[in-house]
Amino acid sequence: MRILITGGAGFIGSHLADRVLSEGHTVVVVDNLITGSLDNIRHLMGRPDFTFIQQDISEPYTLEGELQAILHFASPASPIDYLKLPIETLRVGAMGTYHTLEIARQKGARLLLASTSEVYGDPLVHPQPEGYYGNVSSTGPRSCYDEAKRYAEAMVMAFQRTHGIDTRIVRIFNTFGERMRLEDGRVVPNFVAQAIRQEPLTVYGDGEQTRSFCYVSDLVEGVLRLLMLPRSGESPNPTNIGNPNEMTILQFAHVVNAITDNPAGIVFKNQDRIQDDPQTRRPDISRARQLLNWEPQVSLHEGLERTIRYFEKRIKV
Ligand code: UDP
């Protein structure tokens, strides 16, 4: 297959590129590098089965040649990034998704949209099944991301219903691993960098808010199973992919400090907690289990050790 990956120079997009290339597919990455980095795909440059195009997909774009599938992953995705880039985030969720769906329609390609657990907002149902409609502020600081992804989901469904194109929607829960940006502000790079520097870990609020962390190779496996699922009567849209192993942020801080032997402990930073920060988050992955026969394989401990090794090489202690 020839596969377009929007946002393919980003954290998850670049892991997807590696994986599908290793399976013999041809990859075109389109990325404007607003939060992605050439460092994530430099090792692929020059391969005959790989093309990189620097392009903002929020503007109309075209692509030469045939195409069988699109992995639509372009978007700022960390809270710090999308708070800095709210208009770009809304534009790529809306216009970027529209332009990419147009390409899917022209080429007859299957399109998989990277959506997010943020569509559930600060959830009132726990854990979150796909049938839950969410508890989302349309005006709060996170709305630029949450509403962009909700709009993107609606646009994907409209193209599927109107033009009959084959679409997949994955709702991605917290994912971590190599190639996360050190400065993207998310809890994993923040805690790991602080621990490597033997600084106290900055816990926002009281640390009682929960998350469940999925290692990137597990996420990639789930996404590709969803992409490759044969088209059948039952629509797989949307499907949650994430790790149901839930913990409080305080517990997570203790795990990171234990693995790294960080003697500096933790510090509570109440003022840094972002408004509308979800209090709980855990995926209900029954659908992924049943449809894709998928569940996470990599433990938090193992995933963190690999991530720590990656960040150690990039941090001057
Ligand atoms: N968080 C924290 N300290 C940090 C960064 C984040 O306590 O240095 C908290 C944040 O308030 C949130 C959780 O960790 O409750 C996960 O935040 P992240 O930015 O990784 O992504 P989110 O899951 O909110 O999209």
Side-chain angles (χ1 to χ4, degrees), residues 77-80 82 116-118 142 145 174 180 184-191 194 201-205 207 209-211 213 249-250 252 269 272-274 277-279 281:
S78 94
I80 295 294
Y82 58 70
T116 169
S117 55
E118 283 279 330
R142 299 173 90 100
Y145 186 60
N174 291 69
M180 292 189 96
D184 87 357
R186 283 192 273 206
V187 70
V188 173
N190 274 13
F191 281 7
Q194 289 157 352
L201 309 194
T202 52
V203 173
Y204 299 163
Q209 68 271 35
T210 68
R211 294 292 187 273
F213 297 99
I249 292 300
L250 197 53
F252 181 61
K269 294 259 186 187
D272 288 349
R273 191 161 182 203
I274 298 166
D277 188 7
Q279 187 58 30
R281 186 183 287 159

